[in-house]
Short mmCIF file of all heavy atoms in Angstrom, two decimals:
data_model
loop_
_atom_site.label_atom_id
_atom_site.label_comp_id
_atom_site.label_asym_id
_atom_site.label_seq_id
_atom_site.Cartn_x
_atom_site.Cartn_y
_atom_site.Cartn_z
N LEU A 1 13.97 -5.55 5.44
CA LEU A 1 12.77 -6.07 6.10
C LEU A 1 11.80 -4.95 6.44
O LEU A 1 10.58 -5.10 6.27
CB LEU A 1 13.15 -6.85 7.36
CG LEU A 1 13.76 -8.23 7.12
CD1 LEU A 1 14.42 -8.75 8.39
CD2 LEU A 1 12.71 -9.20 6.61
N ILE A 2 12.32 -3.82 6.91
CA ILE A 2 11.46 -2.68 7.24
C ILE A 2 10.73 -2.19 5.99
O ILE A 2 9.52 -1.95 6.01
CB ILE A 2 12.27 -1.55 7.90
CG1 ILE A 2 12.71 -1.97 9.31
CG2 ILE A 2 11.46 -0.25 7.94
CD1 ILE A 2 13.73 -1.05 9.95
N ILE A 3 11.46 -2.07 4.89
CA ILE A 3 10.85 -1.60 3.64
C ILE A 3 9.84 -2.61 3.12
O ILE A 3 8.70 -2.27 2.78
CB ILE A 3 11.93 -1.29 2.58
CG1 ILE A 3 12.76 -0.08 3.01
CG2 ILE A 3 11.31 -1.09 1.20
CD1 ILE A 3 14.00 0.14 2.17
N PHE A 4 10.24 -3.88 3.04
CA PHE A 4 9.39 -4.92 2.47
C PHE A 4 8.13 -5.13 3.32
O PHE A 4 7.01 -5.14 2.80
CB PHE A 4 10.18 -6.23 2.34
CG PHE A 4 9.41 -7.32 1.65
CD1 PHE A 4 9.37 -7.38 0.27
CD2 PHE A 4 8.74 -8.30 2.38
CE1 PHE A 4 8.66 -8.39 -0.38
CE2 PHE A 4 8.04 -9.30 1.74
CZ PHE A 4 7.99 -9.35 0.36
N ILE A 5 8.31 -5.30 4.62
CA ILE A 5 7.16 -5.53 5.49
C ILE A 5 6.34 -4.24 5.60
O ILE A 5 5.11 -4.29 5.59
CB ILE A 5 7.61 -6.05 6.87
CG1 ILE A 5 8.20 -7.46 6.72
CG2 ILE A 5 6.45 -6.05 7.86
CD1 ILE A 5 8.85 -8.01 7.97
N GLY A 6 7.02 -3.11 5.66
CA GLY A 6 6.31 -1.84 5.76
C GLY A 6 5.35 -1.62 4.61
O GLY A 6 4.18 -1.26 4.82
N ILE A 7 5.79 -1.86 3.39
CA ILE A 7 4.90 -1.65 2.24
C ILE A 7 3.79 -2.69 2.23
O ILE A 7 2.67 -2.43 1.80
CB ILE A 7 5.68 -1.63 0.89
CG1 ILE A 7 4.80 -1.06 -0.23
CG2 ILE A 7 6.17 -3.01 0.51
CD1 ILE A 7 4.48 0.38 -0.09
N HIS A 8 4.08 -3.90 2.76
CA HIS A 8 3.05 -4.93 2.82
C HIS A 8 2.06 -4.70 3.96
O HIS A 8 1.02 -5.37 4.02
CB HIS A 8 3.69 -6.32 2.92
CG HIS A 8 4.15 -6.83 1.60
ND1 HIS A 8 5.37 -6.48 1.06
CD2 HIS A 8 3.54 -7.63 0.69
CE1 HIS A 8 5.50 -7.07 -0.13
NE2 HIS A 8 4.41 -7.76 -0.38
N LEU A 9 2.36 -3.76 4.84
CA LEU A 9 1.41 -3.40 5.89
C LEU A 9 0.37 -2.39 5.39
O LEU A 9 -0.70 -2.27 5.97
CB LEU A 9 2.13 -2.85 7.12
CG LEU A 9 2.95 -3.86 7.92
CD1 LEU A 9 3.67 -3.16 9.07
CD2 LEU A 9 2.09 -5.00 8.42
N VAL A 10 0.69 -1.69 4.31
CA VAL A 10 -0.24 -0.69 3.78
C VAL A 10 -1.61 -1.30 3.47
O VAL A 10 -2.64 -0.74 3.88
CB VAL A 10 0.35 0.04 2.55
CG1 VAL A 10 -0.68 0.92 1.87
CG2 VAL A 10 1.57 0.86 2.96
N PRO A 11 -1.69 -2.44 2.76
CA PRO A 11 -3.02 -3.00 2.48
C PRO A 11 -3.80 -3.42 3.74
O PRO A 11 -5.02 -3.53 3.68
CB PRO A 11 -2.73 -4.23 1.61
CG PRO A 11 -1.39 -3.99 1.03
CD PRO A 11 -0.64 -3.19 2.06
N THR A 12 -3.11 -3.63 4.85
CA THR A 12 -3.82 -4.00 6.07
C THR A 12 -4.54 -2.81 6.68
O THR A 12 -5.41 -2.98 7.52
CB THR A 12 -2.86 -4.61 7.13
OG1 THR A 12 -1.98 -3.59 7.62
CG2 THR A 12 -2.06 -5.77 6.57
N GLN A 13 -4.17 -1.61 6.25
CA GLN A 13 -4.81 -0.37 6.71
C GLN A 13 -5.71 0.12 5.58
O GLN A 13 -5.26 0.81 4.66
CB GLN A 13 -3.76 0.67 7.09
CG GLN A 13 -2.74 0.20 8.09
CD GLN A 13 -3.38 -0.31 9.38
OE1 GLN A 13 -4.20 0.37 9.97
NE2 GLN A 13 -3.01 -1.51 9.80
N VAL A 14 -6.97 -0.24 5.65
CA VAL A 14 -7.90 -0.01 4.55
C VAL A 14 -7.96 1.47 4.16
O VAL A 14 -7.90 1.81 2.97
CB VAL A 14 -9.31 -0.54 4.92
CG1 VAL A 14 -10.31 -0.24 3.81
CG2 VAL A 14 -9.25 -2.03 5.21
N ALA A 15 -8.05 2.36 5.12
CA ALA A 15 -8.15 3.80 4.82
C ALA A 15 -6.86 4.31 4.17
O ALA A 15 -6.91 5.11 3.23
CB ALA A 15 -8.45 4.58 6.09
N THR A 16 -5.72 3.86 4.64
CA THR A 16 -4.44 4.28 4.08
C THR A 16 -4.32 3.83 2.63
O THR A 16 -3.92 4.60 1.75
CB THR A 16 -3.27 3.72 4.91
OG1 THR A 16 -3.42 4.16 6.25
CG2 THR A 16 -1.93 4.18 4.36
N ARG A 17 -4.67 2.57 2.37
CA ARG A 17 -4.60 2.04 1.01
C ARG A 17 -5.57 2.80 0.11
O ARG A 17 -5.22 3.20 -1.00
CB ARG A 17 -4.91 0.55 0.97
CG ARG A 17 -4.76 -0.03 -0.43
CD ARG A 17 -5.34 -1.43 -0.56
NE ARG A 17 -5.08 -1.99 -1.86
CZ ARG A 17 -5.77 -1.68 -2.97
NH1 ARG A 17 -6.73 -0.78 -2.94
NH2 ARG A 17 -5.48 -2.26 -4.12
N ALA A 18 -6.78 3.01 0.59
CA ALA A 18 -7.79 3.71 -0.21
C ALA A 18 -7.33 5.14 -0.53
O ALA A 18 -7.50 5.62 -1.66
CB ALA A 18 -9.13 3.74 0.52
N GLY A 19 -6.70 5.80 0.44
CA GLY A 19 -6.18 7.15 0.20
C GLY A 19 -5.07 7.16 -0.83
O GLY A 19 -5.02 8.04 -1.69
N ALA A 20 -4.19 6.17 -0.76
CA ALA A 20 -3.10 6.07 -1.73
C ALA A 20 -3.63 5.80 -3.13
O ALA A 20 -3.18 6.40 -4.11
CB ALA A 20 -2.12 4.98 -1.31
N VAL A 21 -4.62 4.90 -3.23
CA VAL A 21 -5.22 4.60 -4.53
C VAL A 21 -5.94 5.83 -5.08
O VAL A 21 -5.86 6.14 -6.26
CB VAL A 21 -6.17 3.39 -4.44
CG1 VAL A 21 -7.00 3.22 -5.70
CG2 VAL A 21 -5.37 2.11 -4.15
N ALA A 22 -6.64 6.55 -4.20
CA ALA A 22 -7.38 7.75 -4.64
C ALA A 22 -6.43 8.83 -5.16
O ALA A 22 -6.73 9.50 -6.15
CB ALA A 22 -8.21 8.29 -3.48
N SER A 23 -5.29 9.00 -4.51
CA SER A 23 -4.37 10.07 -4.94
C SER A 23 -3.47 9.64 -6.09
O SER A 23 -3.12 10.48 -6.93
CB SER A 23 -3.54 10.57 -3.77
OG SER A 23 -2.70 9.55 -3.29
N LEU A 24 -3.11 8.36 -6.16
CA LEU A 24 -2.19 7.89 -7.20
C LEU A 24 -2.90 7.24 -8.38
O LEU A 24 -2.38 7.25 -9.50
CB LEU A 24 -1.20 6.87 -6.62
CG LEU A 24 -0.25 7.33 -5.53
CD1 LEU A 24 0.49 6.15 -4.93
CD2 LEU A 24 0.73 8.35 -6.10
N GLY A 25 -4.05 6.63 -8.12
CA GLY A 25 -4.70 5.78 -9.11
C GLY A 25 -4.30 4.33 -8.85
O GLY A 25 -3.22 4.06 -8.31
N GLU A 26 -5.17 3.40 -9.22
CA GLU A 26 -4.94 1.97 -8.93
C GLU A 26 -3.64 1.46 -9.54
O GLU A 26 -2.84 0.82 -8.87
CB GLU A 26 -6.13 1.14 -9.44
CG GLU A 26 -6.04 -0.33 -9.09
CD GLU A 26 -6.34 -0.65 -7.64
OE1 GLU A 26 -7.10 0.08 -6.99
OE2 GLU A 26 -5.79 -1.65 -7.13
N ASN A 27 -3.41 1.75 -10.82
CA ASN A 27 -2.21 1.23 -11.48
C ASN A 27 -0.93 1.83 -10.93
O ASN A 27 0.07 1.13 -10.74
CB ASN A 27 -2.30 1.44 -12.99
CG ASN A 27 -3.33 0.53 -13.63
OD1 ASN A 27 -3.66 -0.53 -13.09
ND2 ASN A 27 -3.85 0.93 -14.77
N ALA A 28 -0.94 3.13 -10.67
CA ALA A 28 0.25 3.77 -10.11
C ALA A 28 0.53 3.24 -8.70
O ALA A 28 1.68 3.02 -8.33
CB ALA A 28 0.08 5.29 -10.09
N TYR A 29 -0.54 3.04 -7.92
CA TYR A 29 -0.37 2.47 -6.58
C TYR A 29 0.27 1.09 -6.67
O TYR A 29 1.23 0.79 -5.95
CB TYR A 29 -1.73 2.38 -5.85
CG TYR A 29 -1.68 1.50 -4.63
CD1 TYR A 29 -1.15 1.98 -3.44
CD2 TYR A 29 -2.15 0.20 -4.68
CE1 TYR A 29 -1.08 1.16 -2.31
CE2 TYR A 29 -2.09 -0.62 -3.56
CZ TYR A 29 -1.56 -0.14 -2.39
OH TYR A 29 -1.48 -0.95 -1.28
N LYS A 30 -0.25 0.26 -7.55
CA LYS A 30 0.30 -1.10 -7.70
C LYS A 30 1.74 -1.06 -8.19
O LYS A 30 2.58 -1.84 -7.75
CB LYS A 30 -0.57 -1.93 -8.65
CG LYS A 30 -1.89 -2.34 -8.04
CD LYS A 30 -2.72 -3.16 -9.02
CE LYS A 30 -4.02 -3.60 -8.39
NZ LYS A 30 -4.85 -4.38 -9.30
#
């Protein structure tokens, strides 16, 4: 639950998601 919900909380944090997409790329992030 911590892993599943934790990863699903990332998109709720716009800056965190944007940073992950910027460093990994959209496809790698997904």
Side-chain angles (χ1 to χ4, degrees):
L1 285 165
I2 290 169
I3 292 169
F4 185 83
I5 293 172
I7 195 67
H8 280 83
L9 290 177
V10 171
T12 68
Q13 306 303 309
V14 177
T16 303
R17 183 192 185 282
V21 169
S23 65
L24 297 171
E26 184 75 29
N27 289 336
Y29 166 79
K30 287 180 179 179

